[in-house]
Amino acid sequence: MKFSEQQRALACAVRAARAAGKVIRANASAAKTIASSTQHDIKLELDVRCQKLIERSLRKDFPGIPLLGEEGDSGDTTAAQRWVVDPIDGTVNFTYGIPHACVCIALQEKAKSPRLGGYTDGYATLIGVVYDPFCDELWTAIRGQVARLNGNRIQVSRRRNLGEAVVSIGFAKTRENLERTLPYFNELVHRVRKIRIMGSAALALTYVASGRFDAYIESGISLWDIAAGGLILECAGGEFWRQPIPGRHAYRMIASNGLLRRTLRVRY
Ligand code: IPD
């Protein structure tokens, strides 16, 4: 895809993310309709409504590009390009009235060789947009360019000492993933400045990209939670290590400023 096309796709994804963000903000204090839930997860009727809105918006400018989303796919998601969408990342926060959630939209392209893509099925992220409608913070990136927050360049922190680091941990949705993470949490909590558990993986990635956090760790995360934020982090100079695990587009990951990953990986 030519650079001018990438810029057009970025503008289109920004419009879609802002439109969904408006709906999310407007519904912040409204009663939420729960479509389904498990012990550690909730799906809202609004998740589906926002994904449809995003899809309609993206289709206006790019009618031929399929969409792979948390709330289902449309079109052939093995095509040369695809949108990857999480309409509300941080649904549990949003349901409980905690204003920490965001919209994530990424554009991915099939890499020439699957090894180069960075994701299990051989895709690489070209464009990433994460929008927090509560703080009106918009992160954007195009592969190979700098990452931006509300138009201003951002960079990861320079902290290399774990004892000074603020590290965020995500506790995902299954017993297996929680049990993998708990011992790591128990160990790390004594070694870092502070642990933060905020409930939105995409915002945690953009917080690392912005130098607010020094690292973010989670096992059992899904592609739509990390595709946009992962690119934003890389474009901000960070390191986004991920490894596939069983499940639909599932990964475990360590996102960091690049200076702490070795130390963090020791036991994870
Ligand atoms: C979830 C959030 C949460 C993370 C979960 C994700 P969702 O996304 O990002 O912080 O721990 O693994 O699935 O379900 O709110 O879109």
Side-chain angles (χ1 to χ4, degrees), residues 12-13 15-21 46-77 82-88 103-106:
C12 166
R15 272 194 299 279
R18 284 198 186 277
L46 200 71
D47 282 294
V48 177
R49 192 141 51 95
C50 284
Q51 183 166 314
K52 284 193 177 140
L53 186 159
I54 291 167
E55 190 179 341
R56 274 198 307 275
S57 180
L58 297 173
R59 282 268 146 82
K60 271 190 212 148
D61 292 308
F62 292 90
I65 301 186
L67 183 148
L68 187 158
E70 175 160 23
E71 309 312 321
D73 301 342
S74 91
D76 174 12
T77 58
R82 66 186 183 194
W83 295 107
V84 179
V85 172
D86 188 348
I88 309 177
V103 182
C104 311
I105 304 178

Side-chain angles (χ1 to χ4, degrees), residues 41 70 86 88-91 170-173 199-201 218 220-221 225:
D41 193 26
E70 175 160 23
D86 188 348
I88 309 177
D89 181 61
T91 303
F171 283 94
K173 302 172 178 178
S200 162
E218 180 158 354
I221 198 78
D225 301 312

Side-chain angles (χ1 to χ4, degrees), residues 90-146:
T91 303
V92 174
N93 281 349
F94 177 67
T95 309
Y96 283 70
I98 301 166
H100 190 77
C102 63
V103 182
C104 311
I105 304 178
L107 179 67
Q108 291 197 319
E109 195 167 56
K110 217 177 227 174
K112 288 199 179 72
S113 145
R115 280 183 304 110
L116 298 175
Y119 290 96
T120 34
D121 51 357
Y123 282 80
T125 307
L126 269 185
I127 280 158
V129 171
V130 172
Y131 180 54
D132 174 348
F134 301 105
C135 298
D136 194 24
E137 290 194 312
L138 176 82
W139 285 268
T140 54
I142 295 181
R143 175 161 292 285
Q145 307 291 310
V146 301

